Amino acid sequence: MTTRKTRVFSGIQPSGMLHIGNYLGAIQQWVAGQGQKTNFICIVDLHAITVPQDPEALRRQTRELAALLIASGIDPQQTTLFVQSHVRAHAEGCWVLNCVTPLGWLERMTQYKTKAQKQESVLTGLLDYPVLQAADILLYDTDEVPVGDDQKQHIELARDIAGRFNHLFGETFVVPKPVIRESGARIMALNDPSAKMSKSDFTRGHAIRITDTPDEIRWVVKRAVTDPGRDISFSADPDRAGVNNLLQIYELFTGQSRAAIEAHFAGKGYGALKTDVAEAVIEGLRPIRERFDQLITDPAELDRLLAIGAEHARAVADPKIRLMMERVGFVLPA
Ligand code: AMP
Ligand code: TRP
């Protein structure tokens, strides 16, 4: 019997500078799994245009994201890192899956509902977003999808779509499962620990971007909202979400155990907590920033690496899209 390595697929939008929520919730997990598993990481530009984008900004952010992912430890030798629009099968697969997906499944997606509320005019692509995401995942016979907590509903939808297609046309897809880490799955805004840290909130103090300077990081952490009490311990209590969020950030940047962290802060105040958290973030991000500054000066090299990634991705996705087309009854091009 041949055993196949576990397949891992995840995606990330080139729609703005990454923050530490993206890094701790998603990227750190992707880097940790490299080597033992077969990894595909996709820069999802087709998803990004489901809300209006400036074309020049999108092109710049796509290369910046590639540089940031490599700077964060994604090794293009070990992970297939590619741009979604370079592999036609994603758009084609989305179309075929559209035609087995009931509209009602999409209308109840919470991310769609929240994003739609923020738009004056909602684009059709925004409603269809999770079907494209299902195509991304299913084209690669993905076993595991490591994501932050906010993507759980989309992965469940991909499972439902896979199940329905398999039922209608015969076994075609592996049914994937979401992998959501316990700590870091939901990094909260520093200025409001009741809200998720988000790429689209540009209020100063909301997020720490991966490329922020040490001074900016100190400024933001110093003003982070803490709790009414004085306790410094991990907690699931919503009234203590501010300190818990800072502790999780500290935990994930230092790699220390929760017990060691609580012992370290025992008897200390929130001022000391903030100083230490800021320094841990600065030290954790320093090598990433340095590497990023270097990589971004050579866009031709980034494009070369992305072209190799796309070629590897096509070798897996192209036979799968042919199989999908055959299953639904298309005459395949000779
Ligand atoms: P996006 O920025 O929407 O392209 O998300 C990229 C990845 O980061 C996805 O796996 C998200 O689930 C994850 N992510 C985004 N925001 C957060 C957050 N505040 N905490 C943890 N993970 C997050
Ligand atoms: N929707 C995901 C996000 O915003 C990005 C994404 C697109 C994705 N395709 C994917 C994540 C496939 C996992 C698997 O975070």
Side-chain angles (χ1 to χ4, degrees):
M1 204 180 84
T2 52
T3 47
R4 139 184 179 300
K5 272 198 200 171
T6 303
R7 287 264 175 92
V8 178
F9 187 102
S10 202
I12 186 159
Q13 299 190 66
S15 53
M17 207 21 107
L18 297 190
H19 53 65
I20 58 170
N22 301 124
Y23 178 66
L24 302 174
I27 302 169
Q28 244 190 9
Q29 282 198 84
W30 304 343
V31 172
Q34 268 183 156
Q36 312 96 297
K37 301 181 178 176
T38 306
N39 278 14
F40 295 86
I41 300 296
C42 184
I43 298 176
V44 294
D45 52 355
L46 301 178
H47 278 106
I49 61 167
T50 57
V51 295
Q53 299 288 338
D54 170 57
E56 273 319 310
L58 181 61
R59 221 181 319 277
R60 177 172 44 77
Q61 287 166 358
T62 299
R63 293 199 178 98
E64 278 178 0
L65 181 54
L68 253 181
L69 290 169
I70 298 171
S72 304
I74 300 291
D75 173 1
Q77 308 275 3
Q78 295 194 68
T79 290
T80 301
L81 173 66
F82 70 104
V83 176
Q84 190 183 31
S85 63
H86 293 181
V87 181
R88 301 268 168 94
H90 291 252
E92 295 171 351
C94 175
W95 182 257
V96 174
L97 296 181
N98 274 334
C99 301
V100 302
T101 306
L103 187 56
W105 289 8
L106 302 182
E107 285 169 336
R108 57 161 208 258
M109 291 290 115
T110 53
Q111 196 160 77
Y112 168 70
K113 288 191 271 188
T114 341
K115 283 190 183 173
Q117 268 174 5
K118 293 185 195 155
Q119 308 288 320
E120 261 171 49
S121 139
V122 177
L123 303 173
T124 308
L126 189 64
L127 179 66
D128 204 27
Y129 180 115
V131 182
L132 177 60
Q133 183 163 350
D136 296 345
I137 297 168
L138 301 179
L139 280 169
Y140 295 85
D141 287 336
T142 302
D143 302 297
E144 296 180 354
V145 189
V147 281
D149 186 56
D150 59 345
Q151 293 302 312
K152 200 166 166 219
Q153 198 185 31
H154 287 168
I155 315 306
E156 270 151 19
L157 183 83
R159 292 169 58 89
D160 290 344
I161 294 176
R164 189 171 166 108
F165 193 101
N166 286 346
H167 173 73
L168 291 171
F169 300 108
E171 281 305 307
T172 308
F173 297 124
V174 171
V175 180
K177 61 172 195 296
V179 177
I180 297 166
R181 77 199 302 203
E182 202 186 318
S183 209
R186 206 173 155 79
I187 298 294
M188 309 310 279
L190 292 165
N191 62 355
D192 175 8
S194 69
K196 193 189 72 158
M197 188 178 285
S198 144
K199 261 186 201 162
S200 53
D201 189 326
F202 295 99
T203 318
R204 192 172 179 208
H206 171 88
I208 298 173
R209 312 270 159 184
I210 299 192
T211 49
D212 278 348
T213 61
D215 282 345
E216 178 64 15
I217 295 170
R218 287 190 193 101
W219 191 95
V220 173
V221 177
K222 197 180 257 176
R223 280 158 192 80
V225 173
T226 46
D227 306 338
R230 305 180 49 181
D231 218 44
I232 305 187
S233 58
F234 288 89
S235 162
D237 179 351
D239 290 335
R240 294 176 50 197
V243 168
N244 185 62
N245 193 41
L246 290 172
L247 286 172
Q248 280 200 24
I249 294 170
Y250 187 84
E251 176 191 7
L252 294 164
F253 273 108
T254 61
Q256 290 174 25
S257 74
R258 293 191 164 194
I261 293 168
E262 288 177 351
H264 172 77
F265 288 115
K268 293 188 183 159
Y270 290 161
L273 170 68
K274 287 176 172 182
T275 307
D276 287 5
V277 169
E279 293 313 310
V281 175
I282 291 166
E283 281 320 305
L285 294 182
R286 187 190 306 280
I288 299 177
R289 243 188 85 201
E290 288 173 359
R291 193 79 222 288
F292 172 79
D293 288 344
Q294 210 182 349
L295 289 162
I296 203 66
T297 60
D298 193 353
E301 173 62 7
L302 289 170
D303 290 358
R304 190 187 69 84
L305 293 170
L306 291 172
I308 297 173
E311 204 177 310
H312 288 163
R314 273 185 227 113
V316 179
D318 286 356
K320 197 71 181 186
I321 187 71
R322 278 181 77 87
L323 177 65
M324 287 169 72
M325 290 181 166
E326 193 191 337
R327 288 279 153 91
V328 299
F330 295 169
V331 173
L332 295 180

